[in-house]
Amino acid sequence: MALRVNSENFESEVLKSELPVLADFYSDSCVPCKRLSPIISQLESERSDSLKVVKVNINFDTELAEKYEVQAAPTLIYFKNGEETARLRGAVKKAEIEEILI
Amino acid sequence: MSKMYDTIIIGSGSAGLSAAVYAKRAVLDFIVIEKEYMGTGQIAESGRVDNYLGLYGENGFDLGEKFREHAEALGTEFLESEVISIVKDGNAYKIALSDNSDILTKSIVFATGANPRKLSIKGEEEFSGKGVSYCAVCDGAFYKDKVTAVVGGGDTALEDALLLSKICKKVYLVHRRDEFRANKALQNTVKNTENIELVLNAKPAEIIGDKKVTALKIMQNDEEKTLQLDGVFAAVGTVPNSKLLNGIAELDGNGYVIADETGATSAEGIFAAGDVRTKQLRQVSTAVADGANCIFSIEKYLSNV
């Protein structure tokens, strides 16, 4: 189960994480977010050794959404060593996510 | 020789799922092809559905899930893939999929639905996802205490405006006519909501911004005006996903597949159901009816081929 993060623990959980992190910026009752969710869970269990997955609920954590200029839900941001290396928007397919997880 | 299906249902919205239920009961050999993972079509985007008989007040997403569970309970098989082309092959059709595989079928239920219509103005593409949205439920939360505009005059536009009025400081409702198409109850609520400002007889002209949207230029009664705002939500109706039938079946001027209640199109063996076909009223109830009718038509068609 992916960890919910907020602006308080974002630095320690995401930016300073040893493993690369896939952050799922989602909003409540957003249909594409609901469709994407099971795919994210699959990736999380398939890659538990090499990937950390976190979730940001933008209904509550607007600060993080603003900071990373996220304006569409869902948005996936891939962080490596604290740096954003890729970003995907919308209910993308599993293969498209796998492509950015390098 | 590769397998020949009785029918292939393209699309897993209300029309496609209803067709699946009827096709199972008719013991047809079929699968449902869907572009989206576990899709249920446009109904999923509806906040609350108050006009589907027997399920008063259900939210759209849950209603769609119920439809899907029903089709699954009867053993419907789904295939997540995109149809690239449909080609007539003797008495049958060959459906080419995005993974380069082909499927052969004697008939097709074409239930591909419709997608949100674009505003088709300058800046729309550039700022899509950066202040231009087609889903207030998804993206509304990004505009807390900000100013937004909803463009449109139907149920969706007014529902979006109401939803945003609870989040935003101010919501402009921009509509090209001076009357709304939306239902009267909704209109009354909107008119009584303090932070919704009606901008009537106004057409959007351009979306302006730098990194993000900052303003919407409109033409109101032939006069150019600029609304300073942070987000624009488009709710100007839908366009049918009928491209695949271009040159195969007759479409009307707006791209809807011409078919009556039986679902029969001008292409023998292809039956259209749901929002993609020409009809008076596009609702869940009429989509469900279409799915049923198409399968009934297909049973008759198959007994004659």
Side-chain angles (χ1 to χ4, degrees), chain A residues 19-80:
Chain A
L19 287 178
V21 182
L22 183 68
D24 175 15
F25 288 74
Y26 73 101
S27 66
D28 292 330
S29 58
C30 144
V31 172
C33 304
K34 288 181 188 173
R35 299 254 180 265
L36 189 63
S37 191
I39 301 177
I40 303 282
S41 305
Q42 275 178 25
L43 282 167
E44 188 183 16
S45 51
E46 284 168 17
R47 297 176 181 231
S48 53
D49 302 340
S50 60
L51 180 73
K52 179 172 174 178
V53 176
V54 301
K55 293 197 174 251
V56 180
N57 184 324
I58 61 97
N59 295 85
F60 297 97
D61 302 305
T62 40
E63 230 175 278
L64 279 173
E66 288 217 4
K67 185 173 172 202
Y68 286 96
E69 291 177 340
V70 174
Q71 275 193 299
T75 290
L76 296 174
I77 306 184
Y78 188 48
F79 291 92
K80 269 174 105 174

Side-chain angles (χ1 to χ4, degrees), chain B residues 106-139:
Chain B
K106 293 176 198 160
S107 69
I108 291 171
V109 177
F110 196 77
T112 51
N115 271 349
R117 183 186 297 278
K118 299 261 160 91
L119 297 171
S120 301
I121 57 172
K122 202 175 157 207
E124 180 179 22
E125 205 68 36
E126 187 187 346
F127 293 108
S128 177
K130 297 172 193 157
V132 176
S133 171
Y134 305 89
C135 179
V137 178
C138 307
D139 301 335

Side-chain angles (χ1 to χ4, degrees), chain B:
Chain B
M1 206 180 117
S2 52
K3 172 174 173 131
M4 173 76 74
Y5 285 96
D6 290 330
T7 196
I8 292 292
I9 299 169
I10 307 175
S12 58
S14 318
L17 293 172
S18 168
V21 166
Y22 275 80
K24 269 290 166 195
R25 311 231 335 135
V27 206
L28 297 182
D29 188 5
F30 76 100
I31 56 169
V32 177
I33 301 176
E34 56 179 354
K35 202 159 65 172
E36 250 185 71
Y37 177 72
M38 299 280 284
T40 56
Q42 289 178 92
I43 186 58
E45 312 284 347
S46 285
R48 210 181 119 116
V49 180
D50 276 345
N51 53 10
Y52 193 74
L53 198 61
L55 293 166
Y56 175 62
E58 189 80 78
N59 89 50
F61 187 84
D62 293 342
L63 186 60
E65 294 300 300
K66 274 189 182 160
F67 289 170
R68 192 175 176 103
E69 278 162 25
H70 187 165
E72 281 172 353
L74 293 175
T76 301
E77 195 187 322
F78 292 87
L79 175 69
E80 186 196 340
S81 190
E82 192 168 346
V83 175
I84 301 298
S85 69
I86 298 170
V87 182
K88 182 121 181 125
D89 187 13
N91 263 341
Y93 286 96
K94 191 158 99 178
I95 297 175
L97 301 175
S98 50
D99 63 1
N100 292 324
S101 62
D102 291 328
I103 288 179
L104 285 174
T105 180
K106 293 176 198 160
S107 69
I108 291 171
V109 177
F110 196 77
T112 51
N115 271 349
R117 183 186 297 278
K118 299 261 160 91
L119 297 171
S120 301
I121 57 172
K122 202 175 157 207
E124 180 179 22
E125 205 68 36
E126 187 187 346
F127 293 108
S128 177
K130 297 172 193 157
V132 176
S133 171
Y134 305 89
C135 179
V137 178
C138 307
D139 301 335
F142 293 111
Y143 300 92
K144 196 170 182 329
D145 301 323
K146 296 193 170 165
V147 180
T148 56
V150 174
V151 182
D155 283 352
T156 305
L158 273 67
E159 276 166 13
D160 285 358
L162 276 177
L163 182 119
L164 291 168
S165 73
K166 293 174 188 130
I167 303 166
C168 305
K169 190 163 66 189
K170 182 178 190 152
V171 181
Y172 293 106
L173 180 55
V174 179
H175 183 42
R176 63 194 161 127
R177 301 184 205 284
D178 60 359
E179 268 176 35
F180 294 110
R181 246 181 0 264
N183 74 66
K184 287 283 180 324
L186 206 51
Q187 288 191 34
N188 289 339
T189 319
V190 163
K191 283 172 186 162
N192 290 324
T193 304
E194 232 168 74
N195 61 342
I196 298 180
E197 183 179 326
L198 305 184
V199 185
L200 303 176
N201 295 313
K203 273 190 193 164
E206 185 184 346
I207 289 162
I208 300 163
D210 178 17
K211 269 188 177 167
K212 298 181 196 175
V213 169
T214 55
L216 173 68
K217 206 189 275 179
I218 56 165
M219 291 296 287
Q220 188 173 32
N221 301 317
D222 291 327
E223 219 178 291
E224 193 179 288
K225 286 186 185 169
T226 304
L227 307 173
Q228 302 297 328
L229 43 69
D230 307 287
V232 177
F233 289 83
V236 288
T238 55
V239 276
N241 297 321
S242 57
K243 234 191 259 164
L244 284 169
L245 291 189
N246 237 336
I248 296 173
E250 258 179 74
L251 310 180
D252 78 356
N254 294 315
Y256 292 98
V257 183
I258 297 175
D260 63 8
E261 198 189 27
T262 65
T265 68
S266 65
E268 233 186 335
I270 300 182
F271 298 81
D275 282 3
V276 78
R277 90 165 169 93
T278 50
K279 58 158 86 176
Q280 175 171 275
L281 179 66
R282 294 191 169 82
Q283 291 278 301
V284 179
S285 50
T286 65
V288 165
D290 281 2
N293 264 309
C294 276
I295 295 302
F296 187 71
S297 302
I298 283 171
E299 283 188 88
K300 283 206 277 188
Y301 173 74
L302 292 177
S303 64
N304 290 327
V305 184

